[in-house]
Amino acid sequence: MSSLEAALSLLWLTTLSFSFGLLTVACLRRPVRRRFGAGSAYLLWVLPLLAVLVSLLPHPIHMRSQPLPPMVLTVVAGDAIAEMPGASSDRLLIVGLMSVWMLGVVLSASLAIARQRRFQLALRTARPFSGASLAWPVWLARDDATGPAMVGAWRPFIVLPRDFEKRYDESERVLILAHEAMHIRRRDGWWCAVAQVCACLFWFHPLLWWALPAWRHDQELACDAAVIREHAGQRRRYALAMLKTQAVATVLPMGCAWSPRHPLTERIAMLHSSQIYTVKRLSGISTIALAALLASAAVYAGTSIAGIASPRDQRYSLKLEVAVNGQPAKVHAATCLAVGQRYELIEDSTPNLAPWRALVGVVPTDKGQLEVRADISGGTLNGTTQPRIRVSEGQEGTIMVGSRLGPSAGVPVGEHTLTLRALPSTGC
């Protein structure tokens, strides 16, 4: 398996796992929010990341296909048999798909960086705000449409609109600052960065474009609930502050701003049901932990059965028997190979011919079979031929290259061939 094939297999694996996690969140987020509160619903968004990580854990590889008849591949000198039929077109397709994916990743990352950069460049004329006693920098923008927002992950800061002190009364200003500070305390800037990385890697996934605004919405609801827990008697003032706040035109890749994608009516309605007692919150956390455990088990079992786990660390035994010119085969080697490693074979027992040379390796396939790959030169071959055979684990396959001569004009039958009998199996 080439590096591109391995990368495509890995991308497919993580996409399936990511999809399972997103669908689980889509089914559970509203019931969990009604039952256990916005904070518990926000925790559900860990499931897609957890599903991806679990799918990358090593899996035992078992024989998953029925035994096939012994496979023989013959390549006569001069033939242009390079590999299995369709493999060249498959390789072109793989290169094309990976190129498109990489282009999408680069474009998505570039757009995200440009949006973040453009927002922060607009703050070059901002001035420090002295009316807040917080542990993080607070800046006052030069216009009324920028902020309130929490910006950044590594060194977060808070941005307020120019008319902050005029637009909000004193109690509302305290709640707005508490909201933005809560984002920083909850490390929401880092979670925004993680979400943006997922957006870049899975830009092609249709569910992602539903998930991003839904995740942002749950993030704001969870932040609202956390603020109200600390300011229990300020629900009405908090709702009034929300109504006075303008939505920014764009969503910050690394930051939390008041966005038109956050339905204001639902956020205000949630303030009346945000009094979730400690017992309910603990029950919600326990429920999320159980859901995470079940989802992880399902993903691990699913990827194990599908046989699409990453084979990077897997090793394979390969027994080789070599026969020259139709003579009885003799054991040449029993070796242990990792994916990408090759065993070198040299056979020079035929007079007046260049020595046969072969590089032989084993790679797994997505069908649960093992593919024996050989690059053979020398003997009667003009150049190098690259035969491939696929067999079930523990099944023997045969590769024959060379030429047969005569009888013609009194010349007896002659044979100049190299026959490799390969028996691959998983593990060493």
Side-chain angles (χ1 to χ4, degrees):
M1 181 180 292
S2 67
S3 58
L4 280 177
E5 289 173 320
L8 184 61
S9 177
L10 187 63
L11 179 61
W12 175 244
L13 167 67
T14 53
T15 300
L16 290 178
S17 305
F18 191 66
S19 303
F20 177 77
L22 290 181
L23 290 172
T24 303
V25 173
C27 294
L28 295 180
R29 58 189 287 261
R30 291 186 182 276
V32 168
R33 185 193 305 158
R34 286 195 299 266
R35 180 65 178 170
F36 302 112
S40 296
Y42 183 52
L43 286 176
L44 280 172
W45 290 99
V46 176
L47 293 182
L49 298 177
L50 186 62
V52 170
L53 293 176
V54 169
S55 69
L56 298 178
L57 294 176
H59 292 67
I61 298 180
H62 305 288
M63 185 171 65
R64 302 179 182 91
S65 55
Q66 296 297 322
L68 301 175
M71 180 175 290
V72 180
L73 177 61
T74 302
V75 180
V76 180
D79 286 351
I81 301 178
E83 51 192 54
M84 298 185 67
S88 296
S89 59
D90 289 347
R91 183 176 292 110
L92 289 176
L93 178 61
I94 290 171
V95 171
L97 289 174
M98 293 304 298
S99 299
V100 171
W101 175 73
M102 282 297 300
L103 179 62
V105 171
V106 172
L107 287 177
S108 300
S110 300
L111 290 174
I113 292 171
R115 287 203 310 270
Q116 187 78 18
R117 182 68 175 165
R118 184 164 56 247
F119 185 89
Q120 296 195 211
L121 285 176
L123 300 176
R124 286 179 300 180
T125 57
R127 56 187 176 86
F129 179 67
S130 58
S133 56
L134 297 176
W136 306 277
V138 182
W139 296 87
L140 204 62
R142 291 296 185 179
D143 60 81
D144 298 341
T146 302
M150 186 279 293
V151 183
W154 177 250
R155 293 179 178 176
F157 59 92
I158 297 171
V159 178
L160 302 174
R162 180 181 56 184
D163 62 348
F164 179 69
E165 292 181 290
K166 294 180 180 179
R167 188 189 309 179
Y168 306 100
D169 63 27
E170 183 177 356
S171 61
E172 291 167 354
R173 290 197 296 269
V174 170
L175 292 171
I176 290 293
L177 289 171
H179 177 92
E180 302 306 332
M182 184 62 70
H183 276 308
I184 299 178
R185 289 164 55 189
R186 291 165 59 87
R187 305 292 191 273
D188 282 342
W190 287 108
W191 288 114
C192 290
V194 171
Q196 194 59 51
V197 170
C198 292
C200 293
L201 294 177
F202 297 101
W203 58 268
F204 56 89
H205 202 305
L207 273 179
L208 178 75
W209 303 108
W210 161 85
L212 283 178
W215 169 77
R216 289 274 186 179
H217 180 49
D218 286 350
Q219 184 184 65
E220 290 299 325
L221 291 179
C223 187
D224 291 340
V227 172
I228 289 301
R229 280 199 302 271
E230 295 186 356
H231 301 79
Q234 300 293 320
R235 283 183 175 79
R236 185 173 180 276
R237 305 306 303 175
Y238 195 68
L240 289 175
M242 284 185 183
L243 292 172
K244 293 179 181 180
T245 303
Q246 300 178 16
V248 298
T250 59
V251 177
L252 278 175
M254 284 195 295
C256 303
W258 296 67
S259 168
R261 296 184 180 184
H262 305 153
L264 188 57
T265 53
E266 184 177 358
R267 289 184 65 182
I268 293 176
M270 282 297 296
L271 296 180
H272 299 288
S273 59
S274 61
Q275 188 65 28
I276 303 296
Y277 297 102
T278 302
V279 174
K280 273 197 170 184
R281 286 203 301 272
L282 292 177
S283 299
I285 293 173
S286 301
T287 301
I288 303 305
L290 179 61
L293 181 62
L294 294 176
S296 300
V299 168
Y300 189 83
T303 53
S304 179
I305 292 172
I308 55 177
S310 174
R312 291 170 295 178
D313 300 326
Q314 183 63 51
R315 292 184 173 272
Y316 301 92
S317 297
L318 179 64
K319 180 180 178 182
L320 284 176
E321 294 185 356
V322 179
V324 181
N325 301 333
Q327 299 298 316
K330 298 180 180 179
V331 175
H332 189 279
T335 185
C336 177
L337 301 173
V339 174
Q341 289 184 327
R342 304 281 207 102
Y343 176 78
E344 183 178 14
L345 179 153
I346 299 177
E347 174 58 56
D348 58 355
S349 61
T350 305
N352 303 321
L353 282 180
W356 294 102
R357 296 179 180 271
L359 294 174
V360 188
V362 181
V363 295
T365 72
D366 55 3
K367 304 291 186 181
Q369 295 178 303
L370 300 177
E371 183 172 283
V372 179
R373 298 182 174 185
D375 292 352
I376 304 176
S377 60
T380 57
L381 295 178
N382 182 18
T384 301
T385 189
Q386 299 173 314
R388 311 285 192 255
I389 56 173
R390 291 188 177 187
V391 296
S392 298
E393 184 175 350
Q395 176 196 9
E396 184 180 88
T398 302
I399 297 173
M400 178 183 290
V401 298
S403 60
R404 293 187 174 92
L405 307 175
S408 173
V411 178
V413 175
E415 182 172 330
H416 299 296
T417 60
L418 175 72
T419 304
L420 302 180
R421 293 180 182 174
L423 181 65
S425 59
T426 302
C428 297

